[in-house]
Amino acid sequence: MTAYQPPGDPEVDVHDAVVLAGGAARRLGGADKPGVRVGGRPLLDRVLAACSTAATTVVVADRRATARPVLWAREDPPGAGPLAALDAGLRRTSAAYVVVLSADLPFLGEGTVRRLLAALRSTDTEGVLLTDPDGRDQPLVAAYRSSALRRELAALDAEHGGLAGLPLRLFTGALDLTRITDPVASFDCDTWDDIATARARIREHGHVLDEWISAVKEELGIDLDVDIGILLDLARDAAHGVARPAAPLTTFLVGYAAAQAKGGPEAVAEAARKATALALRWAEEDATAAPSDPGTTTAAPSDPGTATDARPDAG
């Protein structure tokens, strides 16, 4: 696979991403942690979605199928630790800024990545990282100036005769860093209890719909941001004004119409507006048909055997 080239975005300076996904996952019993699914998607794919604006994304791990194209790298020797892995990934990047992430962040989103990059651009510091709820640094949820990373990795390599086995604190302790607290985005999955917590959280009422839509778009290869509220309102009006099965069928037809028009979110919104207006007109006719149509008769309530309901979807 080759590097992903995103469309231009004036709000995001050109940056690369390095995702470390080759750990041993000992606290998970040696399970393939990047492949563990949360919300129907592998943890690695969730992180790759969060850094999709990167010009080049490098995953440091053995090759595997991913939801979007990436470059691959491997530390030498494999399993030599996070600093060796970071060095291997950094060698395949060229942008002035680099986002460095672990592959076990189920709640990391594009908004957090943008926030890290914005903070880095607005200061003279060499990196911006998240801290967890206990105030601990999370150096693998961060954005750095690439020149600072290369400088310190080279210095540690020279001092210790290699990077294998060195702890991350030697690296972060030498950098001038800004810290941002984000207890949700910094949540990582080290144990099966963490996995269970993540899986339960995305099924909570306030999260499940966004999570489901994101998973469906990724599964179908759709990169389209639409106003979910518009579609939900349309489904409600179609269900109440016509019949319940009209809701999913109408929303499908709206999507199909937008695709036929080769449009984006605006085309979806316009098709939804038209369909909503139609559903409301339909409901209005149904509400006024019985009293205004002299040809319609309704038997007395005491005679259920002869009662006639003129509604077109009755029964």
Side-chain angles (χ1 to χ4, degrees):
M1 290 185 174
T2 58
Y4 171 68
Q5 298 295 330
D9 185 343
E11 294 183 1
V12 179
D13 286 344
V14 175
H15 65 281
D16 294 331
V18 175
V19 181
L20 306 189
R26 292 182 180 87
R27 297 172 69 184
L28 289 176
D32 175 28
K33 181 160 68 167
V36 172
R37 296 181 181 273
V38 173
R41 294 188 289 163
L43 284 170
L44 175 57
D45 282 343
R46 296 179 72 91
V47 172
L48 292 178
C51 61
S52 62
T53 55
T56 298
T57 299
V58 183
V59 178
V60 186
D62 291 333
R63 291 174 180 263
R64 66 174 66 226
T66 53
R68 70 178 183 86
V70 298
L71 297 179
W72 295 93
R74 202 69 170 105
E75 70 273 24
D76 185 21
L83 288 186
L86 176 57
D87 182 64
L90 195 63
R91 291 176 186 276
R92 306 210 65 181
T93 67
S94 59
Y97 300 141
V98 60
V99 178
V100 177
L101 305 167
S102 61
D104 60 352
L105 302 165
F107 305 125
L108 182 71
E110 283 190 1
T112 299
V113 172
R114 289 175 182 272
R115 184 182 175 201
L116 289 168
L117 289 165
L120 183 60
R121 291 196 306 269
S122 65
T123 66
D124 294 328
T125 56
E126 296 173 318
V128 180
L129 54 75
L130 294 191
T131 59
D132 67 15
D134 296 322
R136 292 186 294 260
D137 287 351
Q138 300 294 312
L140 300 184
V141 198
Y144 299 98
R145 299 183 190 277
S146 299
S147 57
L149 292 188
R150 292 189 170 93
R151 182 195 72 223
E152 292 307 322
L153 287 172
L156 288 171
D157 186 28
E159 180 181 352
H160 297 274
L163 298 173
L166 295 182
L168 279 169
R169 65 176 180 273
L170 292 179
F171 171 70
T172 55
L175 293 173
D176 179 19
L177 299 173
T178 295
R179 291 162 173 82
I180 296 175
T181 299
D182 191 328
V184 176
S186 63
F187 181 88
D188 57 2
C189 293
D190 291 327
T191 68
W192 286 114
D193 283 344
D194 294 336
I195 297 292
T197 297
R199 287 171 171 170
R201 184 180 187 276
I202 65 169
R203 285 168 171 76
E204 294 174 356
H205 177 71
H207 309 284
V208 66
L209 192 56
D210 286 339
E211 288 286 349
W212 171 247
I213 294 300
S214 295
V216 171
K217 289 197 297 184
E218 184 172 291
E219 189 74 15
L220 299 180
I222 299 171
D223 185 16
L224 178 66
D225 290 326
V226 297
D227 188 335
I228 296 175
I230 290 177
L231 296 178
L232 288 177
D233 288 344
L234 166 60
R236 177 201 63 207
D237 291 335
H240 291 175
V242 184
R244 284 187 180 181
L249 294 174
T250 306
T251 52
F252 164 77
L253 291 173
V254 163
Y256 185 79
Q260 288 290 91
K262 298 182 174 12
E266 298 81 7
V268 175
E270 176 61 13
R273 184 193 65 77
K274 291 181 178 179
T276 297
L278 175 61
L280 294 176
R281 293 198 303 270
W282 185 295
E284 183 179 359
E285 290 178 9
D286 188 49
T288 60
S292 63
D293 186 352
T296 299
T297 59
T298 303
S302 59
D303 187 1
T306 59
T308 301
D309 191 337
R311 290 179 300 168
D313 64 337

